[in-house]
Amino acid sequence: MNRIDRISAILIQLQSRRVVKAADIAERFGISLRTVYRDVKTLEEAGVPLMGEAGVGYSIMDGYRLPPVMFTKEEATAFLTAEKFIEKLTDNSTTSYHRSAMDKIRAILRTAEKNTLEDLDGSIAVLKSHSQRRANNQDHIQTILSAIGQKRVLKLDYFAMHSQQQTSRMVEPVGIYYLDSYWHLIAYCRMRSDYRDFRLDRIKGINITDDEYSDQHPALKDYIDQTAREHKLETVIMRVKKKTYHYLTNQKYYNGFVSEVEVGDEWEMTFLTTSIEGFARWFMMFGDLATIITPDVLNERIQEIASAIVKK
C-alpha cells in the first residue's frame, strides 16, 4: 500500500472509532510507531481536527466531514450482525474486505451510534456446533467473484472425491452458494461440456485466465432450482461407529457421499441421494452399528423393510 492510500485508510479508521491507539494503527498497516506519528502529523497539517492524548490514543472531532448519507442505529447493527457471520462462514479475503467496509460505515456515524456498536460488539456471537464441519474454503471466494464480474475463465486444480484424483479444469463460473458448512462453485466445465458443482475446500489451485467467455449461462438460482427438480435430491445424515467405517469403502461415493465429520467414537456422514429406497437397503447392511439422523422418511422405510424381514 502506498503512503497516500495508507493515510486515507488511517483517516477512515480514525473516523470509525471513538479512540484509536497508535499501536493499533501500526499493527494494522504493518508500519512502525514512528511512521504512524508522521502520518498523523500529515493529516493534522491537512486540516483534519485530530485530538491525541498520551497513553490513550487519537480521536477525531465529532461530525468532521460528515457524508450526506447516514445509517440508522438499526441499520448499523444489522451490518455488525452480518460481520459476525462473515467472519465465521466465509474466507480470509472476504472477511478483510468486509472489515474495511465496516470501517467506512462506522466512519459516517455520529459518536452515539459508534458507542452503540462498540457496546454491542461483545453481545453478538456466531458459534459452530460440534456437528458442523470445519471447512477450509481456501480463500477462493473473492477470486471466483472477480472472475464472474469480468466474465473470465477460471483454471482449477480440483481434487475429485469420488475418483480420489486431482485434475486440471477450465471452467466458466456461474455463481457460488453456501450449504451445510461448505461453499460451492457452480461452473460450466469445458472438459465435461456440462455444468458441475465444485466444492471450494477441494479446489487446490485457482487462477483467473485472460480467456473471456460470452456464453449466456443460467442464473445461479435457476440452475439450483432446475437441478433440484431434475434429480429430486434428498439430504441424508447418518452416524456410523468408527469400527464399521472401513467397511463402507467406495460404496459411500455410489450412494451420494458429500462430507463427514468426527463426532466422538462415530463418523457423522452427509449424503445427497436420489433414492430413499436404494439408500435404505444399502443402510441395512450395517444398520445395527449406525444411526440415521435425518430424514424421518428414511428411518420409516428402514423400519418397514426390517418388519417385513421379521415377518418372513
Side-chain angles (χ1 to χ4, degrees):
M1 180 182 291
N2 62 50
R3 187 164 187 261
I4 293 176
D5 290 341
R6 186 178 69 244
I7 290 174
S8 298
I10 290 174
L11 176 58
I12 292 174
Q13 186 180 13
L14 288 168
Q15 288 181 295
S16 69
R17 297 284 192 278
R18 286 177 295 179
V19 178
V20 180
K21 296 180 180 178
D24 292 338
I25 297 175
E27 180 180 0
R28 176 168 181 176
F29 297 101
I31 57 179
S32 66
L33 287 175
R34 184 177 179 179
T35 301
V36 172
Y37 301 147
R38 187 165 59 245
D39 288 348
V40 169
K41 184 177 180 180
T42 298
L43 288 171
E44 291 175 333
E45 292 173 348
V48 178
L50 292 175
M51 297 173 286
E53 185 176 343
V56 178
Y58 299 104
S59 61
I60 195 168
M61 186 178 294
D62 190 27
Y64 169 72
R65 293 182 182 173
L66 198 63
V69 177
M70 291 295 295
F71 292 102
T72 64
K73 284 185 180 180
E74 292 75 16
E75 289 169 337
T77 302
F79 281 119
L80 178 63
T81 305
E83 184 176 39
K84 302 298 182 180
F85 281 94
I86 289 172
E87 288 176 351
K88 290 290 185 181
L89 303 180
T90 60
D91 56 16
N92 293 335
S93 293
T94 304
T95 299
S96 177
Y97 286 128
H98 189 270
R99 187 178 297 121
S100 176
M102 279 298 298
D103 279 349
K104 293 177 182 178
I105 291 171
R106 288 187 174 98
I108 66 173
L109 297 177
R110 289 182 289 265
T111 299
E113 281 73 26
K114 291 177 187 177
N115 292 347
T116 298
L117 285 191
E118 292 190 14
D119 291 340
L120 287 175
D121 190 55
S123 302
I124 304 171
V126 175
L127 304 178
K128 291 187 176 182
S129 67
H130 292 297
S131 61
Q132 189 173 4
R133 265 63 65 187
R134 267 54 177 179
N136 178 5
N137 290 301
Q138 305 285 2
D139 211 19
H140 294 329
I141 292 176
Q142 293 303 314
T143 300
I144 292 170
L145 294 178
S146 179
I148 293 173
Q150 300 176 57
K151 284 191 173 296
R152 295 288 183 86
V153 173
L154 284 170
K155 181 180 181 296
L156 306 182
D157 292 322
Y158 190 74
F159 181 78
M161 187 63 73
H162 68 280
S163 65
Q164 295 290 291
Q165 294 181 342
Q166 184 164 308
T167 58
S168 181
R169 313 281 188 97
M170 302 296 285
V171 305
E172 300 173 11
V174 174
I176 60 174
Y177 70 93
Y178 179 85
L179 174 66
D180 192 25
S181 305
Y182 296 97
W183 281 91
H184 297 249
L185 162 66
I186 297 298
Y188 180 80
C189 178
R190 291 183 172 180
M191 183 172 76
R192 302 299 185 191
S193 298
D194 200 358
Y195 292 96
R196 289 291 187 268
D197 184 325
F198 301 97
R199 228 172 67 183
L200 266 61
D201 63 309
R202 295 178 185 160
I203 298 176
K204 304 307 179 184
I206 184 169
N207 289 289
I208 301 177
T209 71
D210 293 329
D211 188 4
E212 297 184 6
Y213 62 91
S214 57
D215 292 343
Q216 293 297 315
H217 297 298
L220 177 64
K221 182 179 184 303
D222 294 339
Y223 173 83
I224 293 174
D225 290 345
Q226 180 181 344
T227 301
R229 287 194 301 270
E230 290 177 352
H231 298 288
K232 297 180 180 178
L233 298 177
E234 185 83 37
T235 300
V236 173
I237 300 176
M238 72 175 188
R239 289 188 178 181
V240 181
K241 295 292 184 182
K242 288 182 178 178
K243 62 181 180 181
T244 306
Y245 180 81
H246 68 278
Y247 290 119
L248 305 185
T249 61
N250 289 333
Q251 293 181 27
K252 65 183 182 181
Y253 299 115
Y254 303 137
N255 287 277
F257 174 75
V258 175
S259 61
E260 62 192 11
V261 62
E262 192 173 4
V263 181
D265 64 343
E266 297 178 314
W267 283 100
E268 184 173 284
M269 308 174 70
T270 299
F271 297 81
L272 285 176
T273 182
T274 58
S275 173
I276 289 294
E277 179 71 18
F279 197 97
R281 295 187 178 278
W282 175 61
F283 178 83
M284 295 291 289
M285 297 171 58
F286 51 86
D288 59 323
L289 295 171
T291 305
I292 297 296
I293 306 300
T294 188
D296 291 338
V297 66
L298 176 56
N299 267 320
E300 293 168 1
R301 183 55 186 146
I302 291 170
Q303 293 172 11
E304 291 172 356
I305 296 173
S307 296
I309 292 174
V310 172
K311 289 179 181 178
K312 284 187 175 181

